[in-house]
Amino acid sequence: MSKQTMAEYVNQETIFGLVPVKKSERQYGFWDTLLVTSGFAIATWCYSQGALSAGYLDFPQLIIVTFAMGGLFLAIECLPVIFAVRYGIDLWVYLRAVLGVNGVKVFATVVILGNWFWYAVAANMFGSSIAQICAGFGLVIPPDVVNWISVISVIGGSLIALAGPGAIKWTSRIMVTALIAIGVIVFALCFTIVPFSDIASYKPDLASLDVDAAQAYALAAEGMVAFSFSWSTQAIVLPRLCRTERAGYWGTFAGYAVVAPFFVFIGGIMAIVMYVSTGVYVSDPTVMLATLGPSVALLSLMLVAFANIGTQAVGSYVNDLVLKAAWPKVSYRTLVWLSCIYVSVLTLSGEVTANFGQFISIAAYIQGPIIGIMFVDYIILRRRRFSLKALYFQKGHDAYRFPGGVNWVGVACILVTLAVALIFVYNPITGAIKSPLFCVFTGSGFTALLGGVLYYALTKIPSIRAVALRDRDDLEIA
Amino acid sequence: MAAPQDFENELQQQVAERIALMEEPGYEFPAALTRADWRAIVIIPIVSLCLLVAGAFL
């Protein structure tokens, strides 16, 4: 694809991502939605997530936290799928009503900066898998060099993203195949190495973590809340192409709340099996693969390496299209390279992987209040009806125009929520639990709850309510 | 590379065309969720919450 054609294509893709999708453009039923969503969701970081949970939970708790947290939050997070299918619009377009058009630009950017944390984990896993392959041949690579090798996957993925949609399509096919193959290998390994009774009777070593049982349960729950929240701002892209609300909602829900957690569960089992069979708790899936399955280590580690380049490529394409929609004056190529530099720095530092639980909570803290506010605004305040024309600022439809392009009611709810959660509940930057509230709500769960409650309370004030509901006489398309 | 102004103009044109299409009298929106779907959307989080509470006491 030539440079000019690629630029034009990106513009078309960005425009298509912003405009309402017509009925004739809808292609997906339930199974299409489920398969594509699952392909996007089952990256290798699922195994890191599972290992994190297994460090805090016994086997029955691992099952409950892994699957029930998705059932609790994704059922709510997926509600925007309803308007995404009905009107063919993305979440970020709808959020213009809640945050203002410039508020959306800022928060879309911040959310994506947080999302890139996950890609640094994938890149570090690429480096780790190469190091494990080399170690298998007797070549020991120093940790600093491993970090530089990790950056190769970021650059490689970014180059694929720059190559355009054809390359992305093929990368996706290879990546999903590799990820499913890894899942099958890991699943087979886990249930053949140690007896199931040993897995079922596993108890985590909480004394070494300096937390009690309630805090351990809440920390694992916090991890799964963060995992569930991480999809919230990207999950609504695909359902715009669905033919029915039912196909869109349940396909999306099943992909993120059932299939992705299943791979997290496999990661958790792998960590338990590693602990039971070696007595050492390890959170790096590549080390576990090399240790638990030497006969398939080379194949599985190569699959991990390829899958992580693919994850970076698809992530770069999707996230930079969102950024392009927020900042149309910046070229797609520039955004890809800026993202590449940012993820490379995160990868080189190794901090995200070393403090995985904390970093994913930081990302979830930004998304949590938005989820809570969205629920209150869409379901309770607007009762699932809003002005499509006002969302696109059509002439004479100004219900969602705010001074300076910012709806300070929504933005204030997010900022106050973040401050309260950081000071009084849980600080993901330091990993410090600030109060017993953390054991009830988790930190990220608290941000969703408080964000929603604050927004509800503020929109009960008559003057604010009047501004929020200026769209009531502009509901022509319903 | 298309200029930002071209991008904005094309975007606005596409939006206007699509909204006009949706306003046409015969335009059919996708089939909505049913009452059973809404029941499941309410029940799944409640059951999940109960399981999470029970899990804390295991």
Side-chain angles (χ1 to χ4, degrees):
Chain A
M1 183 174 287
S2 72
K3 185 180 173 185
Q4 182 65 25
T5 311
M6 175 63 193
E8 286 172 1
Y9 185 85
V10 166
N11 270 346
Q12 284 169 13
E13 283 280 281
T14 311
I15 287 169
F16 188 69
L18 285 170
V19 298
V21 174
K22 294 182 284 192
K23 194 179 179 202
S24 58
E25 291 165 334
R26 293 159 191 270
Q27 313 156 31
Y28 291 173
F30 170 80
W31 289 107
D32 305 308
T33 311
L34 175 63
L35 288 173
V36 179
T37 302
S38 302
F40 185 63
I42 53 170
T44 51
W45 54 60
C46 289
Y47 301 110
S48 302
Q49 180 75 43
L52 177 82
S53 297
Y56 293 117
L57 305 172
D58 60 27
F59 182 70
Q61 287 179 323
L62 178 70
I63 296 174
I64 290 173
V65 169
T66 302
F67 290 99
M69 204 52 89
L72 176 59
F73 283 108
L74 278 155
I76 295 165
E77 277 175 58
C78 287
L79 287 173
V81 166
I82 298 165
F83 66 70
V85 175
R86 186 164 184 78
Y87 302 111
I89 62 168
D90 187 16
L91 177 70
W92 290 107
V93 172
Y94 155 74
L95 284 175
R96 291 171 181 171
V98 180
L99 302 173
V101 68
N102 287 331
V104 162
K105 283 184 182 182
V106 172
F107 280 97
T109 306
V110 173
V111 162
I112 285 179
L113 289 177
N115 267 344
W116 282 126
F117 293 158
W118 292 89
Y119 294 84
V121 173
N124 283 133
M125 215 177 292
F126 170 86
S128 185
S129 61
I130 298 295
Q132 295 296 329
I133 291 170
C134 292
F137 292 100
L139 178 64
V140 177
I141 302 176
D144 286 352
V145 179
V146 173
N147 281 349
W148 281 104
I149 292 172
S150 304
V151 172
I152 293 172
S153 76
V154 182
I155 296 169
S158 301
L159 289 172
I160 294 170
L162 284 174
I168 290 292
K169 187 172 76 178
W170 277 102
T171 302
S172 300
R173 288 176 181 172
I174 295 168
M175 177 186 75
V176 172
T177 308
L179 286 166
I180 290 171
I182 296 163
V184 170
I185 291 170
V186 171
F187 194 80
L189 280 177
C190 286
F191 288 99
T192 52
I193 290 176
V194 299
F196 178 73
S197 57
D198 288 1
I199 297 173
S201 60
Y202 159 79
K203 296 284 177 197
D205 180 13
L206 297 183
S208 65
L209 299 170
D210 198 24
V211 291
D212 60 34
Q215 289 173 331
Y217 190 77
L219 282 165
E222 166 66 21
M224 276 311 291
V225 176
F227 184 80
S228 302
F229 282 8
S230 68
W231 311 115
S232 63
T233 48
Q234 299 168 334
I236 318 303
V237 174
L238 188 66
R240 298 166 66 231
L241 300 174
C242 291
R243 289 191 291 262
T244 66
E245 290 181 13
R246 173 176 262 188
Y249 183 88
W250 293 113
T252 306
F253 176 83
Y256 292 127
V258 180
V259 177
F262 180 73
F263 279 76
V264 171
F265 176 65
I266 294 176
I269 298 291
M270 184 160 65
I272 291 174
V273 169
M274 181 78 181
Y275 184 79
V276 169
S277 59
T278 67
V280 181
Y281 175 76
V282 175
S283 60
D284 185 340
T286 64
V287 175
M288 292 190 257
L289 279 171
T291 309
L292 298 176
S295 57
V296 289
L298 183 62
L299 172 66
S300 53
L301 289 168
M302 283 176 68
L303 288 171
V304 169
F306 281 121
N308 284 325
I309 295 174
T311 297
Q312 173 65 31
V314 176
S316 184
Y317 185 69
V318 172
N319 286 321
D320 288 319
L321 279 185
V322 174
L323 286 176
K324 171 74 180 163
W327 307 97
K329 291 180 182 176
V330 184
S331 78
Y332 169 75
R333 184 172 289 269
T334 304
L335 290 170
V336 170
W337 282 121
L338 286 175
S339 301
C340 176
I341 293 167
Y342 175 67
V343 180
S344 296
V345 171
L346 291 173
T347 304
L348 273 175
S349 76
E351 286 295 316
V352 183
T353 300
N355 304 289
F356 178 71
Q358 290 167 234
F359 269 92
I360 61 171
S361 288
I362 293 170
Y365 261 46
I366 306 161
Q367 291 165 312
I370 296 175
I371 292 167
I373 292 168
M374 175 277 301
F375 176 79
V376 171
D377 186 83
Y378 177 55
I379 300 293
I380 299 173
L381 184 69
R382 298 190 201 283
R383 296 183 183 277
R384 295 192 284 136
R385 299 187 77 199
F386 50 72
S387 167
L388 196 59
K389 289 180 180 175
L391 282 178
Y392 287 100
F393 308 109
Q394 297 290 285
K395 197 173 178 183
H397 301 272
D398 300 321
Y400 306 138
R401 281 192 197 276
F402 301 97
V406 178
N407 181 358
W408 285 105
V409 174
V411 172
C413 288
I414 294 172
L415 298 179
V416 171
T417 298
L418 287 176
V420 171
L422 281 169
I423 296 168
F424 298 111
V425 183
Y426 173 66
N427 184 340
I429 300 161
T430 61
I433 297 172
K434 300 284 191 175
S435 78
L437 283 174
F438 177 74
C439 294
V440 179
F441 299 112
T442 73
S444 301
F446 181 83
T447 62
L449 186 67
L450 183 61
V453 168
L454 277 178
Y455 191 78
Y456 179 78
L458 281 177
T459 51
K460 281 288 175 187
I461 298 170
S463 57
I464 293 177
R465 190 176 184 84
V467 173
L469 293 179
R470 283 181 300 187
D471 61 359
R472 292 303 93 176
D473 56 358
D474 189 20
L475 304 173
E476 293 166 14
I477 301 172
Chain B
M1 173 80 60
Q5 198 57 45
D6 295 342
F7 176 86
E8 285 293 331
N9 289 340
E10 191 180 344
L11 177 63
Q12 287 307 323
Q13 187 189 337
Q14 289 254 3
V15 167
E17 278 174 18
R18 286 156 187 266
I19 287 179
L21 188 70
M22 286 184 187
E23 282 187 307
E24 283 178 9
Y27 186 84
E28 265 185 59
F29 285 99
L33 290 177
T34 64
R35 197 176 284 269
D37 293 313
W38 280 106
R39 271 196 210 108
I41 291 170
V42 172
I43 289 169
I44 288 171
I46 292 171
V47 171
S48 300
L49 186 60
C50 293
L51 286 169
L52 285 165
V53 172
F57 294 100
L58 285 177

